Amino acid sequence: MRIVLGVGGGIAAYKVASLLRLFTEAGHDVTVIPTEAATRFVGVATWEALSGHPVTNSVFDEVHTVNHVRLGHEAELIVVAPATADLLARAATGQANDLLTNTLLMAGGSPVLMAPAMHTEMWQHPATQANVETLRSRGVTVLEPASGRLTGADTGPGRLPEPETIFQAAMALAGASAVPGTEYLTPPDAVPATDPADDPALVSRPSPTRPLAGLTVTISAGGTREPLDPVRFLGNRSSGKQGVALAVAAREAGAKVRLLAAHMEVPAPAGVEVVEVETALELRKAALHAAADSDVVIMAAAVADFRPADVSGTKIKKRDDVADPVISLVRNPDILQELVEVRDAASRNQLIVGFAAETGDSDGEVLEYAEAKLRRKACDLLVVNQVGKDRVFGEDTNSVVILSRTGSEPQEASGSKSDVAAAVIDRVSAELSRVVPPA
Ligand code: CTP
């Protein structure tokens, strides 16, 4: 397939070299068109060497081939990454002031995918959002940026989605199966032009491949931090990997996914709504709010059970003239238990899933503790894993037992965190289909 890869002028341009490799290794013929600003981050020589084609950003090079017309006409797919705020604005207003924007105007019927990256404020600015809406209404697929650490000290939505995510979304958009035997994600990995959830006529119904279509799933991930003073906190080792894998699995099952992210070490996936939280109390507020319109809530976050009774407004100093401080703790609310209570009080039809991190001397002991926890918290499913040094936290693999309140047989699942996530989401779908059979 002939692909035009437009590169915008943002620091994330360096990640696009990996995206280019994914395209070429899958056998595609890629012409790179960087903007003038992009060449300040990654030079023309890099794009030429990796793509095997001459690279320019001027309409006045190769004039005899009428380059911008030819590239626009020949492209079977156009991918723009990083799509900066400026590039989105120029594309939305139909400007033609360099080779890339000319090519976009000449693209005609070819699918166009744009992967934005910018600071959170720029992404959330009404001007940028209006440009994104305009582009989407014209059929351009604009991915949601991922959330996480940005160029400066700031964090939030605005990160370029991972090259693999953009690659998969591009392949799904082009409907291509470039590598034999490789299955590409199908939309909604590529965020649709209009949000189906906003259009009742478009709300998809559950099907065997998209059992959670039309449903909203809220997932908490990562670990909360409880501040002691402006520089210190009590935290835990949760990386957020399992919660992120669950978010991806739920999204692939067709759900609209909301991720309540507490200090994750991994970036949030594209195509999910992200709410960042710091403490257990913040997570409680976000979870109760999100649960109000969720069909499924999965509490995968490691929530601090206690927080310091007093938070010092200034850094706690060591002093020789006073005794060393003693930290007194107070209990945090149990969010999972509260979610169940609120649901039951409102007689809502909602499936609530808890995770239990347990330590024990033997598997029997772990399960005994877990069964008691399931009774105490009264959630519908409890995903139990054994934790300890080098087990589970931060690792890429996991081994769990899924317990059900209905008392059905415990179900084991193990493998990568994605495998475990797929098993949990399958089980969630199965539990839901017992209540509401798919149409
Ligand atoms: N959880 C919660 N609110 C808390 C603590 C935990 O919602 N304050 C949730 C977690 O997200 C998880 C489940 O409860 O889904 C179990 O967490 P775990 O830490 O294993 O249980 P605890 O209730 O803290 O029990 P323990 O006494 O074993 O620490």
Side-chain angles (χ1 to χ4, degrees), residues 57-361:
N57 51 44
S58 165
V59 278
F60 297 107
D61 287 336
E62 292 188 56
V63 176
H64 64 287
T65 67
V66 201
N67 216 7
H68 64 289
V69 175
R70 183 177 59 78
L71 287 168
H73 280 169
E74 285 179 0
E76 291 160 89
L77 169 69
I78 300 187
V79 177
V80 180
T84 57
D86 174 66
L87 203 40
L88 290 170
R90 289 197 285 138
T93 50
Q95 293 182 43
N97 38 23
D98 61 8
L99 184 58
L100 178 55
T101 44
N102 271 275
T103 306
L104 283 169
L105 284 180
M106 289 302 303
S110 341
V112 178
L113 180 136
M114 303 184 91
M118 64 198 76
H119 289 279
T120 304
E121 291 81 355
M122 296 172 83
W123 170 249
Q124 289 172 343
H125 194 284
T128 305
Q129 288 301 309
N131 290 330
V132 168
E133 276 317 302
T134 302
L135 290 164
R136 285 180 176 164
S137 70
R138 289 188 198 135
V140 174
T141 297
V142 183
L143 296 182
E144 288 294 317
S147 234
R149 182 81 195 267
L150 301 173
T151 318
D154 49 341
T155 56
R159 272 171 71 97
L160 185 71
E162 290 305 307
E164 180 68 29
T165 306
I166 303 173
F167 173 74
Q168 303 245 18
M171 292 300 108
L173 182 64
S177 269
V179 180
T182 303
E183 251 186 66
Y184 294 111
L185 300 181
T186 47
D189 193 43
V191 175
T194 50
D195 184 347
D198 295 338
D199 182 350
L202 291 177
V203 171
S204 37
R205 299 201 158 264
S207 68
T209 51
R210 291 162 58 77
L212 300 183
L215 301 184
T216 299
V217 177
T218 291
I219 299 168
S220 70
T224 61
R225 287 182 182 176
E226 308 300 322
L228 271 165
D229 70 14
V231 291
R232 303 184 182 93
F233 58 83
L234 299 179
N236 60 66
R237 293 176 192 275
S238 180
S239 64
K241 284 181 186 171
Q242 186 63 72
V244 164
L246 283 163
V248 171
R251 185 197 61 190
E252 284 175 24
K256 177 174 171 183
V257 180
R258 227 177 258 141
L259 186 65
L260 311 180
H263 302 286
M264 305 191 314
E265 278 170 25
V266 286
V272 309
E273 183 190 323
V274 181
V275 179
E276 304 223 1
V277 295
E278 172 90 14
T279 62
L281 291 180
E282 280 179 30
L283 177 57
R284 172 183 174 271
K285 196 169 159 198
L288 289 171
H289 184 72
D293 68 348
S294 294
D295 301 284
V296 179
V297 183
I298 304 178
M299 285 294 294
V303 187
D305 286 325
F306 303 96
R307 64 180 185 279
D310 300 302
V311 181
S312 168
T314 53
K315 189 179 165 197
I316 302 166
K317 298 269 194 198
K318 53 183 179 305
R319 283 172 45 186
D320 291 333
D321 55 336
V322 288
D324 289 340
V326 174
I327 301 169
S328 30
L329 301 171
V330 290
R331 279 261 189 121
N332 273 329
D334 190 313
I335 304 167
L336 182 59
Q337 217 166 329
E338 213 174 326
L339 287 167
V340 172
E341 282 163 15
V342 170
R343 176 201 60 188
D344 292 350
S347 307
R348 293 199 55 207
N349 196 2
Q350 181 181 62
L351 192 88
I352 301 182
V353 183
F355 268 67
E358 296 291 351
T359 54
D361 299 327

